[in-house]
C-alpha cells in the first residue's frame, strides 16, 4: 500500500534515584521510512495532567524552528534540544509533579493524508519519602513546597513499617 505509514517513534521509561541523580532526560527518537512530512511545531512532549495529555514542549524537525516550552511549571528548569530525528527534554531541579506519564506525539503528513503517532514514557522517582502540601507524592530525596511564593526544602526519611 503506497499510502501506508512507517514512521516509528521510540521513548524509554525513566527511573530516577534522587539521592544520585538531579536531572532526567526524556528522549524521543523518530525514524521516517517513506514520504512522511513533519512540519514545524508538530513534535511535542506532553504530560498526563488531570484527564488528558497537555503540551509541555514543542519541537520542529531538523532545520525547523527552535523548540520552546508551553507549560510555565517547567520554566528555568528545562533544556530543550532537537538533534537529527530526536526531541530531547531535560528536566533539572526536579519537583514531585515531574513524576508521572509523558508522551512524545508527532503529527505528520503523507501526501494529503494526516497521521498522529505517539510513544509513552513513565518517570518514576525512588529514594527518600517526600511530602507536598502535607500529602505523600512518592519516593525522592527533596520535596520543594511552594506556598505563598516561598520555597521550603524539607527532607523526610521514609521508615518502612514491618
Amino acid at each position: 500500500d503506497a499510502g501506508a505509514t512507517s514512521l516509528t517513534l521510540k521513548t524509554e521509561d525513566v527511573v530516577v534515584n534522587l539521592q544520585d541523580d538531579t536531572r532526567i532526560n526524556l528522549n524521543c527518537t523518530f525514524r521516517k521510512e517513506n514520504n512522511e512530512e513533519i512540519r514545524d511545531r508538530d513534535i511535542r512532549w506532553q504530560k498526563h495532567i488531570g484527564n488528558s495529555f497537555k503540551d509541555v514542549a514543542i519541537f520542529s524537525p531538523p532545520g525547523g524552528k527552535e523548540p520552546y516550552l508551553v507549560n510555565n511549571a517547567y520554566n528555568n528548569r528545562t533544556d530543550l534540544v532537537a538533534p537529527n530525528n530526536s526531541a530531547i527534554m531535560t528536566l533539572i531541579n526536579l519537583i514531585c509533579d515531574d513524576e508521572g506519564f509523558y508522551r512524545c506525539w508527532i503529527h505528520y503528513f503523507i501526501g494529503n493524508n494526516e497521521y498522529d503517532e505517539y510513544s509513552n514514557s513513565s518517570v518514576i522517582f525512588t529514594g527518600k519519602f517526600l511530602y507536598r502540601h502535607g500529602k505523600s507524592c512518592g519516593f525522592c530525596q527533596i520535596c520543594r513546597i511552594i506556598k505563598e511564593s516561598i520555597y521550603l526544602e524539607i527532607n523526610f526519611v521514609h521508615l518502612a513499617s514491618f
Side-chain angles (χ1 to χ4, degrees):
D1 179 21
T5 178
S6 55
L7 181 115
T8 55
L9 289 179
K10 181 183 176 196
T11 59
E12 295 180 354
D13 292 339
V14 180
V15 178
V16 181
N17 182 333
L18 292 177
Q19 294 175 350
D20 302 324
D21 300 315
T22 59
R23 65 178 49 222
I24 58 174
N25 293 308
L26 293 169
N27 185 2
C28 175
T29 304
F30 57 93
R31 186 177 70 213
K32 301 191 297 183
E33 293 292 334
N34 292 324
N35 297 320
E36 296 96 348
E37 177 190 1
I38 303 171
R39 298 181 180 168
D40 276 350
R41 302 190 170 134
D42 274 350
I43 304 169
R44 298 165 187 247
W45 266 111
Q46 302 175 317
K47 183 169 193 293
H48 194 265
I49 300 170
N51 296 329
S52 63
F53 280 91
K54 310 276 192 227
D55 290 342
V56 174
I58 296 178
F59 296 79
S60 296
K65 296 187 163 109
E66 290 294 312
Y68 65 96
L69 282 174
V70 293
N71 187 319
N72 291 336
Y74 295 86
N75 283 351
N76 301 315
R77 29 183 230 98
T78 309
D79 185 32
L80 306 175
V81 294
N84 286 343
N85 297 333
S86 289
I88 303 170
M89 181 170 70
T90 301
L91 302 180
I92 60 172
N93 298 326
L94 301 172
I95 62 172
C96 300
D97 289 343
D98 292 337
E99 187 174 42
F101 299 104
Y102 293 80
R103 78 175 177 189
C104 178
W105 174 86
I106 297 182
H107 181 77
Y108 63 98
F109 297 82
I110 298 177
N112 293 325
N113 297 318
E114 296 184 40
Y115 300 90
D116 293 308
E117 192 71 43
Y118 61 88
S119 180
N120 294 327
S121 211
S122 295
V123 172
I124 301 164
F125 291 163
T126 65
K128 294 183 180 177
F129 203 69
L130 65 86
Y131 289 83
R132 179 169 185 182
H133 301 295
K135 296 193 312 187
S136 163
C137 63
F139 288 87
C140 71
Q141 182 180 17
I142 295 174
C143 179
R144 286 199 167 89
I145 299 174
I146 303 171
K147 188 174 184 179
E148 299 173 3
S149 301
I150 298 172
Y151 287 85
L152 303 173
E153 292 190 358
I154 302 172
N155 288 306
F156 287 96
V157 176
H158 172 67
L159 300 174
S161 58
F162 295 100

